[in-house]
Amino acid sequence: MGIIAWIIIGLLAGAIAKALMPGRDPGGIIITMLIGVAGGLLGGWLGKVIFHVHSINGFFHLSTWIAAIVGSMILLALYRVVTGRRA
């Protein structure tokens, strides 16, 4: 997949992760989008390392979206823990 597809998947995965994990976040929409893009990469890497599968098959494959959303949720939870201690 190209970089544009990664960005689109990450943006959408970040929005879905935010919808699945409601609550106040210290960051705004830009932070959520960046977490989504990084979460997509993290999800793909975890799927490859832990489950020994190539989880990022293509833009329209369900495994790609699940990996991106789970990765985004992990990073969003970590972000909340780290920034929650600062406040």
Side-chain angles (χ1 to χ4, degrees), residues 43-64:
W45 179 77
L46 286 175
K48 192 175 192 181
V49 170
I50 295 173
F51 300 114
H52 304 291
V53 296
H54 186 62
S55 61
I56 306 301
N57 295 322
F59 189 83
F60 294 107
H61 287 264
L62 183 61
S63 62
T64 301

Side-chain angles (χ1 to χ4, degrees), residues 6-19 21 23-44 46 65-84 86:
W6 273 108
I7 292 171
I8 291 170
I9 287 175
L11 295 175
L12 294 172
I16 292 169
K18 174 74 172 155
M21 298 177 63
R24 292 189 49 93
D25 290 323
I29 189 73
I30 294 177
I31 297 296
T32 302
M33 288 189 281
L34 292 175
I35 288 173
V37 172
L41 294 172
L42 174 68
L46 286 175
W65 287 93
I66 291 172
I69 292 168
V70 169
S72 296
M73 289 176 71
I74 291 170
L75 287 182
L76 184 58
L78 288 173
Y79 176 71
R80 287 180 179 179
V81 167
V82 169
T83 58
R86 290 183 190 168

